[in-house]
Amino acid sequence: MNDNRLTAAYVTVALVALFGGVVTGLLQAIEHAGLIFPPLTPVIQSYYHSLSLHGVLNVLVFTTFFICGFLQFIMARALGIPLASPRLAWFTFWLMAGGLILAAIPLVGNAATVLFTFYPPMKAHWAFYVGLTLVVVGTWLVTLNLTLTYRAWRARNPQTRTPLAAFMSLVTFVMWTIASLGIAAEMLFMLIPWSLGLISGTDALLARVLFWFTGHPIVYFWLLPAYVSWYTLVPRQAGGKLFSDPLARTSFILFLILSIPIGIHHQFTDPGIEEGWKLLHAFLTFAVFFPSLLTFFNVVASLESGARARGGKGWVAWFGKLPWGDPSLAAQVLAMLLFTFGGVGGLINASFNLNLVVHNTAWIPGHLHLTVGTAVTLSFMGITYWLVPYLAGRPLWSRRLGLTQVWLWFGGMIIFSNALHRLGLMGMPRRTMIGASAYLQPEWKAALPLVGIGGTILFVSGMLYFLNLVLTLAASRGPAPAVPEFAEALSGPEHAPAILDRWRPWLALTFVLILIAYGPTLVRLAATTPFNAPGLRVW
Amino acid sequence: MRQGTTVYLYELAWILPSVAIPVGMLVALLVTAFGAGVHLPGREGRVDPTRVSETAPFDRPGVVELAPGRYEARIVAEVWAFTPNEIRVPAGSTVTFVVTSKDVVHGFLIHGANVNVMVLPGQVARATGRFNKPGEYPFLCHEYCGIAHHTMWGRVIVEASR
Ligand code: HEM
Ligand SMILES: [Cu+2]
């Protein structure tokens, strides 16, 4: 019961952040469509203030808080025991909430208009860096609590395979904890002392290397919880079984090993890093495509088993037999569908030479709204369609409204993201108040209104989503729905070799790969960087 | 057990293509990248961001002809301008851009010439593009660099051959 209140607290913070993210998204989209950026002073003081809020609220706050709430819930349920330390869990929540407030004060006050990547020497108020660091420390404490819970369960069940959902939740947090060491080092050794005036200079390149050490695997931190739902809950919601439990475990172990040593693929166009290291990271990026394909196969086969059990036939026609009337399932299946396009686009980004065409163009926000903005966000929305009613103890206010919202997101996103991808190929830069730019190209003008139209549809979808949840809390009457049960598997945990349930070999491999991929570059930069760039407030 | 075996076969049937597809794409990529001689920026040296105007070659920004048809453009980026912001070369030229920043992170993008490089304070960035067709090629700052980021740009003017 206590765990439920904890999850409710995290999810509430997450959804408030998402609300802010959706509103700022609308402003940016209509600015691209040629409308003047609305003068909203003093609340939102510029396009870039909006974009900083948008990035931080959506991908740092919404995702992190939702994931902490959701996976702690899943862990306890999958193991059938409560969290090892409820007091630690609540302390962690308040630490993270406190950090969030500390970071939000300068962010909202336009004293941290540095976008969610906060590249120095652009210099935000110190409270922004300290606040975000506290949030990261909070996530480490979540890992600690999950680990203690797992240990407690293991002591009583020495021979059993870890239940799949619990195993996946733990892998997600362990991977993230290792990955976050990069950003932690950037904060503790560079940004915090520098913003406090304890050291006078900084360095752009080293900061970027540390940032992207965390910044790439963070996308797996967002994605893996959606996979937890796709693997362990969605097959059951679709009326079927998970296809293969051992394959699911294998893919998560590969994500643990391969998520981190590939961050330099975000820095292909950075000067100061040898081409050879860039090539190695490109290689490993292609390797991480392997567990993604495994996931694709496993999840699609599971959906198919559900659809066939419901009378579905044919090679593709079975798809229509999925329980499309369930907004939770519809949201997640549509999220998967758009994610396949996101996956293909991701390969292009990761490609050595094609990256030169798309790097930092509008293609990138086109891509990331398919991945984190849909595969992750729409899946999380789908999860809340059962989670929020369950936590609130009453049914969802309207399934119809839920379905409308889900399809609007899908359709709006196709328009929005397609336009951004095309604009990127036409050489339009991202992170730019494009309507006011001095170099607006005639050929961009045909696609820009579609950014506004798609963005407006997304905004409407977002508002319907929040309306439905608010009405669920305020006006819905009736019995609470049950939580979806974890799916059984066609090839179950009994087929999973014991090695898939061990930690040491995989963790060792993870660290070795990180050392190879990052060690030499980090050592060289740490030894030779002069830290001679002063900070600047440029907004 | 029978069912277990079928699942096992299906598992194999997917593992193989899951390996083959990325490997195939990687090979295709390497062939096209290295076959076409595409190079990413590498280590080109450091420059003290507080002393850019005293450091060669950035003490004299502009274009120099290295050999017939081959030029080097030395460009300084700062909030919110490139110096110089206009460069003239004849059609058919190959231009290597050597860029650094005096303050925050900027970017340097020339659509249509395959020039796309980050401009970091402290680092010398180098990227080469070919300009065959006469016309105007805008170069844009494509990394957020402050409140007037969208006004930061310049152009390469490619003139019909002499
Ligand atoms: C109503 C829905 C949304 C709309 C209309 C919208 C619109 C936009 C637009 C127009 C941009 C591009 C700005 C630029 O490059 O100048 C942008 C950037 C971005 N959006 Fe969204 N967005 C929405 C929802 C989301 C969601 C749900 C997420 C993630 C959970 C998200 C994550 C991002 C990120 C990470 C960026 C890049 C920020 C940066 O470059 O610093 N967006 N959004
Ligand atoms: Cu700039």
Side-chain angles (χ1 to χ4, degrees):
Chain A
M1 217 36 226
N2 207 6
D3 292 355
N4 284 353
R5 296 227 329 266
L6 181 76
T7 298
Y10 273 111
V11 171
T12 306
V13 176
L15 293 183
V16 170
L18 180 64
F19 185 85
V22 167
V23 172
T24 46
L26 177 73
L27 300 179
Q28 289 146 210
I30 60 176
E31 191 283 333
H32 275 45
L35 301 181
I36 301 192
F37 193 80
L40 293 172
T41 41
V43 185
I44 295 180
Q45 307 195 12
S46 70
Y47 180 84
Y48 302 106
H49 189 204
S50 169
L51 193 56
S52 298
L53 286 161
H54 185 75
V56 172
L57 288 176
N58 278 328
V59 296
L60 300 183
V61 184
F62 161 62
T63 48
T64 307
F65 277 76
F66 185 86
I67 291 163
C68 289
F70 176 55
L71 289 191
Q72 293 192 84
F73 178 86
I74 288 290
M75 184 80 175
R77 235 183 126 72
L79 296 179
I81 57 174
L83 288 178
S85 169
R87 284 182 54 193
L88 174 62
W90 278 107
F91 170 78
T92 305
F93 172 79
W94 287 112
L95 180 72
M96 291 175 68
L100 175 59
I101 292 170
L102 195 58
I105 294 169
L107 179 66
V108 171
N110 197 27
T113 300
V114 292
L115 306 190
F116 82 99
T117 46
F118 47 83
Y119 297 138
M122 209 177 268
K123 191 177 188 178
H125 191 278
W126 61 265
F128 180 70
Y129 304 121
V130 173
L132 289 184
T133 306
L134 291 178
V135 173
V136 172
V137 171
T139 62
W140 296 346
L141 297 180
V142 173
T143 310
L144 175 66
N145 213 344
L146 293 183
T147 309
L148 294 174
T149 311
Y150 170 72
R151 287 266 186 92
W153 175 86
R154 184 46 97 198
R156 270 178 277 161
N157 301 272
Q159 298 305 330
T160 332
R161 287 281 171 281
T162 315
L164 184 61
F167 177 74
M168 290 179 156
S169 303
L170 198 54
V171 168
T172 305
F173 267 91
V174 168
M175 185 282 290
W176 161 251
T177 300
I178 301 169
S180 61
L181 294 176
I183 222 173
E186 183 193 4
M187 289 290 195
L188 293 176
F189 299 122
M190 298 180 73
L191 302 184
I192 291 176
W194 172 65
S195 62
L196 288 171
L198 302 177
I199 52 178
S200 64
T202 192
D203 183 71
L205 180 64
L206 179 57
R208 284 168 66 85
V209 173
L210 292 173
F211 181 85
W212 287 113
F213 182 100
T214 303
H216 184 71
I218 203 176
V219 309
Y220 291 101
F221 179 56
W222 305 329
L223 201 55
L224 294 186
Y227 284 4
V228 170
S229 172
W230 296 1
Y231 270 121
T232 69
L233 298 168
V234 166
R236 182 68 161 251
Q237 291 175 286
K241 292 185 174 176
L242 170 63
F243 182 73
S244 165
D245 173 295
L247 223 47
R249 285 175 207 262
T250 309
S251 73
F252 263 60
I253 289 172
L254 288 170
F255 282 124
L256 168 69
I257 298 169
L258 293 171
S259 295
I260 303 169
I262 59 184
I264 289 181
H265 74 213
H266 287 261
Q267 298 182 278
F268 281 165
T269 64
D270 275 24
I273 302 171
E274 288 94 340
E275 223 182 349
W277 292 117
K278 294 178 178 175
L279 191 62
L280 176 70
H281 283 241
F283 264 81
L284 291 169
T285 306
F286 276 82
V288 84
F289 193 42
F290 171 57
S292 310
L293 280 171
L294 286 185
T295 299
F296 175 76
F297 164 67
N298 211 343
V299 169
V300 171
S302 311
L303 286 177
E304 185 179 345
S305 87
R308 292 209 188 280
R310 298 166 51 87
K313 302 239 160 17
W315 276 91
V316 278
W318 57 263
F319 203 62
K321 280 283 183 193
L322 289 169
W324 287 104
D326 172 4
S328 173
L329 180 106
Q332 299 186 66
V333 174
L334 293 178
M336 294 170 196
L337 216 61
L338 286 187
F339 188 51
T340 49
F341 294 101
V344 174
L347 277 173
I348 292 182
N349 305 343
S351 301
F352 232 47
N353 41 348
L354 297 178
N355 183 274
L356 281 182
V357 179
V358 298
H359 175 78
N360 259 4
T361 68
W363 169 285
I364 303 300
H367 168 74
L368 64 86
H369 284 91
L370 288 180
T371 50
V372 64
T374 301
V376 173
T377 302
L378 194 52
S379 292
F380 287 1
M381 286 172 162
I383 292 165
T384 55
Y385 278 138
W386 58 261
L387 183 59
V388 170
Y390 167 74
L391 295 174
R394 43 186 70 187
L396 184 66
W397 188 70
S398 164
R399 284 167 75 103
R400 289 261 302 277
L401 188 61
L403 284 172
T404 313
Q405 179 270 315
V406 165
W407 282 97
L408 279 178
W409 194 277
F410 181 71
M413 189 53 83
I414 291 178
I415 299 173
F416 175 79
S417 142
N418 181 271
L420 284 173
H421 275 95
R422 283 194 293 134
L423 284 161
L425 293 179
M426 295 181 218
M428 190 181 98
R430 69 181 283 205
R431 307 187 131 177
T432 301
M433 185 176 175
I434 213 71
S437 75
Y439 45 75
L440 196 64
Q441 303 288 309
E443 57 168 348
W444 301 346
K445 287 195 180 142
L448 278 169
L450 292 173
V451 176
I453 293 169
T456 307
I457 298 174
L458 287 170
F459 173 77
V460 171
S461 166
M463 290 304 117
L464 295 180
Y465 170 74
F466 289 113
L467 180 71
N468 208 352
L469 292 190
V470 168
L471 287 175
T472 300
L473 297 181
S476 184
R477 295 282 173 272
V483 175
E485 295 295 327
F486 293 115
E488 290 172 37
L490 285 173
S491 166
E494 66 282 1
H495 294 146
I499 184 82
L500 292 183
D501 216 3
R502 304 257 313 274
W503 282 88
R504 290 216 181 107
W506 308 124
L507 284 173
L509 205 55
T510 307
F511 283 109
V512 167
L513 269 184
I514 292 174
L515 274 182
I516 294 174
Y518 268 109
T521 302
L522 280 177
V523 168
R524 170 176 71 81
L525 288 177
T528 60
T529 296
F531 298 101
N532 53 2
L536 242 72
R537 176 173 168 152
V538 285
W539 63 90
Chain B
M1 192 55 218
R2 250 205 82 204
Q3 196 189 19
T5 335
T6 354
V7 171
Y8 179 68
L9 285 180
Y10 274 117
E11 284 170 352
L12 261 188
W14 194 253
I15 288 177
L16 298 179
S18 297
V19 174
I21 294 173
V23 169
M25 294 196 55
L26 185 65
V27 171
L29 168 88
L30 291 177
V31 171
T32 50
F34 291 102
V38 173
H39 278 291
L40 295 179
R43 271 173 75 186
E44 305 291 348
R46 298 195 56 106
V47 45
D48 182 339
T50 58
R51 309 178 60 105
V52 170
S53 7
E54 299 126 63
T55 312
F58 301 106
D59 51 346
R60 296 164 72 185
V63 191
V64 290
E65 186 168 7
L66 300 178
R70 288 192 43 234
Y71 294 84
E72 188 170 278
R74 289 106 186 226
I75 298 181
V76 175
E78 66 197 291
V79 286
W80 291 282
F82 291 110
T83 312
N85 63 5
E86 198 176 289
I87 288 164
R88 285 172 189 272
V89 291
S93 302
T94 304
V95 185
T96 297
F97 298 89
V98 184
V99 198
T100 195
S101 163
K102 279 186 172 176
D103 40 49
V104 295
V105 177
H106 298 277
F108 191 82
L109 169 72
I110 308 180
H111 179 58
N114 223 17
V115 173
N116 189 336
V117 65
M118 297 304 298
V119 180
L120 309 185
Q123 298 286 337
V124 179
R126 208 174 246 279
T128 301
R130 240 193 109 72
F131 298 88
N132 289 329
K133 272 196 255 148
E136 260 191 44
Y137 295 74
F139 51 84
L140 312 179
C141 174
H142 69 4
E143 182 55 81
Y144 167 64
C145 59
I147 194 72
H149 157 58
H150 49 278
T151 63
M152 181 163 171
W153 73 304
R155 61 197 133 183
V156 179
I157 298 175
V158 179
E159 297 167 327
S161 303
R162 294 178 273 198

